[in-house]
Amino acid sequence: MAEELNAVIVSIEYRLVPKVYFPEQIHDVVRATKYFLKPEVLQKYMVDPGRICISGDSAGGNLAAALGQQFTQDASLKNKLKLQALIYPVLQALDFNTPSYQQNVNTPILPRYVMVKYWVDYFKGNYDFVQAMIVNNHTSLDVEEAAAVRARLNWTSLLPASFTKNYKPVVQTTGNARIVQELPQLLDARSAPLIADQAVLQLLPKTYILTCEHDVLRDDGIMYAKRLESAGVEVTLDHFEDGFHGCMIFTSWPTNFSVGIRTRNSYIKWLDQNL
């Protein structure tokens, strides 16, 4: 990226679980980004302040999306971003039965139960909740707290038919209200950028989202692209039919996969054309 884009690349070493838990990771990336955007720091690294992009993959895509939304709500940071680029991002923990979660329930690298456990880890929650969350008991119809955001996750309207196929929504009538009560972070847009208000989304910059067919998170990215487009944001959705979660890191021998190289090149090409 640095060579092909002639860009300065800053990788933020945000603190990880179990050293810290949500929302400390958000605070880390906001703090580091604010520091880097100081005029004297940009000047030191010879960075054009009009050509700033935030980006991340997987959990980093979650933090980049959250960071972008934080920028829209901070007067000192507003309009500072030219682009955001999200690579198979994690964007919500309220529906673990989207078509891509159902289709890829046991797909290697990131099967569904592992993703649910990662969310529980992030919130310093109880593993006893995992099985209930897998079947959406945490957002059942009797969980009033979840009612307000349910429409923002309605994949039957947000996903094209080519992705919904014959999958059916999993909506429990009665569930476990204690989960959301003990883990209110589930309903916080800083952890789940997909559920942010439209007023926040419409202030976001031009966006690139890369999704992979063989990935539980595929629909998170596609739904976010749809919500951003509906809010008037210019979005490029770059979907790879043969992609899998994490594939972009497989670009060097002995795991130099074709799809790893193609996703990386496509991502860098978009940045080159738009940054």
Side-chain angles (χ1 to χ4, degrees):
M1 286 174 69
E3 291 173 0
E4 293 188 29
L5 297 172
N6 188 27
V8 176
I9 309 297
V10 179
S11 178
I12 300 172
E13 292 295 315
Y14 57 87
R15 291 168 297 165
L16 305 174
V17 171
K19 188 176 181 181
V20 296
Y21 299 90
F22 174 86
E24 289 307 315
Q25 288 83 352
I26 308 282
H27 296 157
D28 284 355
V29 296
V30 169
R31 202 158 37 233
T33 306
K34 276 186 172 180
Y35 174 80
F36 186 74
L37 290 180
K38 287 182 176 180
E40 62 271 25
V41 179
L42 292 175
Q43 191 173 6
K44 178 182 176 182
Y45 292 100
M46 295 189 290
V47 171
D48 181 344
R51 299 175 66 198
I52 305 291
C53 170
I54 55 172
S55 187
D57 72 301
S58 193
N62 172 284
L63 292 176
L67 176 64
Q69 293 182 7
Q70 292 291 298
F71 268 50
T72 69
Q73 299 165 70
D74 187 324
S76 67
L77 294 174
K78 217 168 185 179
N79 303 319
K80 289 286 178 74
L81 293 179
K82 184 176 184 183
L83 308 170
Q84 64 173 347
L86 312 176
I87 312 301
Y88 29 76
V90 191
L91 296 172
Q92 59 87 25
L94 299 169
D95 186 355
F96 292 114
N97 290 275
T98 61
S100 59
Y101 265 109
Q102 293 186 50
Q103 173 183 294
N104 300 295
V105 62
N106 293 313
T107 298
I109 296 189
L110 192 62
R112 178 171 62 179
Y113 76 93
V114 172
M115 190 62 243
V116 178
K117 287 174 74 173
Y118 283 160
W119 275 110
V120 173
D121 283 337
Y122 191 29
F123 299 147
K124 203 178 182 180
N126 188 331
Y127 277 168
D128 290 347
F129 292 155
V130 170
Q131 288 305 317
M133 291 169 68
I134 282 173
V135 296
N136 287 351
N137 272 350
H138 60 312
T139 52
S140 53
L141 295 177
D142 62 333
V143 178
E144 292 176 11
E145 296 90 337
V149 297
R150 209 168 271 120
R152 300 173 189 183
L153 297 161
N154 183 4
W155 55 260
T156 61
S157 62
L158 290 170
L159 295 178
S162 58
F163 292 110
T164 59
K165 298 173 183 168
N166 293 318
Y167 292 105
K168 299 288 187 285
V170 175
V171 181
Q172 307 294 353
T173 306
T174 56
N176 185 348
R178 193 164 68 92
I179 298 175
V180 166
Q181 288 161 7
E182 290 194 21
L183 300 177
Q185 306 97 309
L186 285 161
L187 297 170
D188 190 324
R190 291 175 302 169
S191 79
L194 179 58
I195 66 172
D197 292 341
Q198 175 140 335
V200 172
L201 300 185
Q202 65 189 18
L203 297 173
L204 288 167
K206 184 188 287 192
T207 299
Y208 172 90
I209 300 176
L210 186 146
T211 56
C212 293
E213 183 64 21
H214 307 288
D215 181 5
V216 291
L217 302 175
R218 179 197 72 190
D219 296 343
D220 283 24
I222 296 171
M223 288 192 287
Y224 197 44
K226 179 69 173 177
R227 287 207 67 214
L228 288 171
E229 283 179 346
S230 298
V233 176
E234 189 177 338
V235 181
T236 297
L237 178 62
D238 200 6
H239 182 68
F240 284 79
E241 284 290 338
D242 59 344
F244 57 90
H245 191 77
C247 63
M248 196 185 283
I249 65 172
F250 294 97
T251 55
S252 55
W253 190 89
T255 56
N256 50 331
F257 299 162
S258 165
V259 71
I261 293 163
R262 283 183 285 112
T263 50
R264 182 194 64 188
N265 290 350
S266 188
Y267 165 57
I268 291 176
K269 181 182 178 182
W270 184 87
L271 289 172
D272 188 41
Q273 292 172 342
N274 291 281
L275 191 56

